[in-house]
Amino acid sequence: MQRQLRLFLGATLIDALGSGIWLPFGLLFLVHGQGFGLVEAGAALSTGGLLALATGPLAGAAMDRFGPRTLLIAGNLLRLAAFCGYPLLTSVWQVVAVTVVVGVGDRLFWTCNAPMVAALTRGRDAERVLGTQTVGRFAGAGVGAAASAVLPEVTSPAAFHLIAYANAATFAVAAALIWCLPAPAAKPANAKPAGWKAVLSDRPYVRFCVTHMAFTLASASKFAILPILVRDFLNGPQWIAGTAITIGTVVVVTGQNLVVRRLANHSRTTGLIAAAALFAGSFALLIPVTLVPLPVATGLILVTSLTFAVAETMFAPLSTAAAADAAPRGVEGRASALFQLSWGLPMALAPVFLGTLLSLSGPLLWTCLTVTCLLAIPALLGLNKTLSFSQ
């Protein structure tokens, strides 16, 4: 079991590295590498992401039937093909199509990830594994941030294309490692697991998934918007965004395991409420960022990168572990698919939603995010002592 866990963790860390690299680069790649407009690129990314979400229920049902290994491999191979195609994009419909393929791969992978972790761990050990995966995702974002600080100064699109091809390579390696895992025993052909009714009738679980969307939008916002904010709205050097994301990455990479250990002494409700409060405070500090002189704006961005990172270390492993523990038995794949929808929907909407708000008003963007995070607190209190929060 431990050998399998190490092999799986290695594969997911490589996968997280590839996904993290792309976080600061989605809009930058299309705008400055391929020549698309900001709103045009954001709308194409969001459209493709939304279309891909439709495959989530199918991925959940397939996992309940066939197990996670095959789908984990398929998810990585789809993203390998998609990122090889990114440098070839010349029209909006092509961006939408490739984004759909990436989104399908994401849905396959993340639908199976938490159930696999739950199967390979016991109790709150799952949070430590999920926390380690968060470290990998942020390490990838750090690599992307470092590159984003340099590449915008390079006029050749080839520099941006290099990131896409490097990302594709990480998915190839992850697929190969998961292929080395032993295949799980197939379920009997006449097995008839409970359907979606068993998941959707679990109202506390559904409410938690809805509440979780506030955290996901908060998590997506800074990576998706910060490079564009600095370059096109603050007219500042790109090292500001790169440094902020790198600082946050260092905090997560060095502090994630410590935070998880400290949170083990508290309920999951307490940890998630603290994360929501930190997210809200971070966004509140950024409300005046487009109205103040650049040195002040730089200071606000760098300070909030610290608090934002601490919030990340809290919410990601706690929420994912709680959802995996609370999934109705026999339909873990479908339950995971619903929970992943609470990740995927805000991620898909983030480019167009946040990009549009930013184009209207910087203070409006950060105020909306502040309020969204604050609303998550009473929602979490209402779910106290349900699901697995009390563990």
Side-chain angles (χ1 to χ4, degrees):
M1 180 69 75
Q2 288 303 314
R3 178 182 178 277
Q4 294 178 25
L5 178 59
R6 288 195 295 269
L7 189 62
F8 173 68
L9 185 57
T12 58
L13 285 176
I14 294 170
D15 182 288
L17 178 68
S19 300
I21 287 174
W22 198 250
L23 283 175
F25 259 94
L27 285 173
L28 274 178
F29 178 89
L30 293 175
V31 173
H32 296 288
Q34 301 299 105
F36 292 94
L38 172 59
V39 175
E40 181 184 43
L45 289 173
S46 292
T47 300
L50 287 171
L51 291 174
L53 289 179
T55 65
L58 296 178
M63 202 212 87
D64 287 334
R65 176 65 181 86
F66 300 106
R69 177 177 175 269
T70 300
L71 299 185
L72 286 167
I73 295 172
N76 279 295
L77 292 180
L78 282 175
R79 288 176 292 176
L80 163 64
F83 278 96
C84 286
Y86 259 117
L88 307 178
L89 302 179
T90 58
S91 61
V92 171
W93 75 264
Q94 292 174 338
V95 176
V96 173
V98 171
T99 305
V100 168
V101 177
V102 173
V104 171
D106 287 342
R107 299 282 68 74
L108 289 173
F109 179 84
W110 289 112
T111 295
C112 299
N113 180 63
M116 179 71 87
V117 171
L120 296 175
T121 58
R122 295 292 181 270
R124 297 194 71 164
D125 287 344
E127 292 169 18
R128 286 188 279 273
V129 174
L130 293 166
T132 302
Q133 289 180 337
T134 301
V135 170
R137 181 165 60 91
F138 270 77
V143 174
S148 71
V150 176
L151 287 183
E153 310 302 329
V154 180
T155 57
S156 172
F160 287 93
H161 295 172
L162 179 63
I163 296 295
Y165 290 131
N167 204 20
T170 66
F171 294 123
V173 174
L177 288 177
I178 294 174
W179 181 81
C180 294
L181 288 171
K187 291 186 177 181
N190 60 354
K192 295 181 179 179
W196 279 102
K197 183 178 180 180
V199 178
L200 298 179
S201 61
D202 190 334
R203 294 184 179 179
Y205 187 87
V206 173
R207 290 201 303 270
F208 174 61
C209 290
V210 173
T211 303
H212 183 258
M213 293 173 67
F215 291 96
T216 310
L217 183 63
S219 181
S221 62
K222 206 167 184 180
F223 288 116
I225 291 299
L226 191 55
I228 290 291
L229 170 73
V230 171
R231 181 184 177 94
D232 296 344
F233 290 85
L234 298 181
N235 296 315
Q238 200 60 27
W239 68 260
I240 298 174
T243 300
I245 296 175
T246 300
I247 289 173
T249 300
V250 171
V251 171
V252 173
V253 170
T254 59
Q256 177 69 83
N257 291 334
L258 175 61
V259 169
V260 168
R261 287 197 298 269
R262 293 292 178 87
L263 289 175
N265 299 321
H266 303 279
S267 70
R268 285 171 175 164
T269 303
T270 300
L272 289 171
I273 288 175
L278 278 174
F279 273 133
S282 300
F283 292 131
L285 286 175
L286 290 174
I287 290 174
V289 75
T290 56
L291 307 176
V292 297
L294 182 60
V296 178
T298 301
L300 290 174
I301 291 171
L302 295 181
V303 168
T304 55
S305 68
L306 295 173
T307 54
F308 189 91
V310 175
E312 284 276 2
T313 64
M314 292 181 175
F315 107 87
L318 288 177
S319 61
T320 305
D325 282 349
R329 302 284 78 84
V331 287
E332 289 87 348
R334 289 172 172 83
S336 181
L338 181 63
F339 179 67
Q340 290 308 315
L341 183 64
S342 71
W343 282 98
L345 187 60
M347 288 289 186
L349 291 174
V352 65
F353 175 65
L354 300 178
T356 300
L357 285 177
L358 181 60
S359 67
L360 293 174
S361 168
L364 175 63
L365 166 64
W366 304 116
T367 299
C368 288
L369 288 170
T370 301
V371 172
T372 299
C373 292
L374 289 175
L375 289 175
I377 295 176
L380 289 168
L381 289 172
L383 288 166
N384 195 27
K385 295 183 179 180
T386 63
L387 300 179
S388 297
F389 289 167
S390 61
Q391 294 186 4

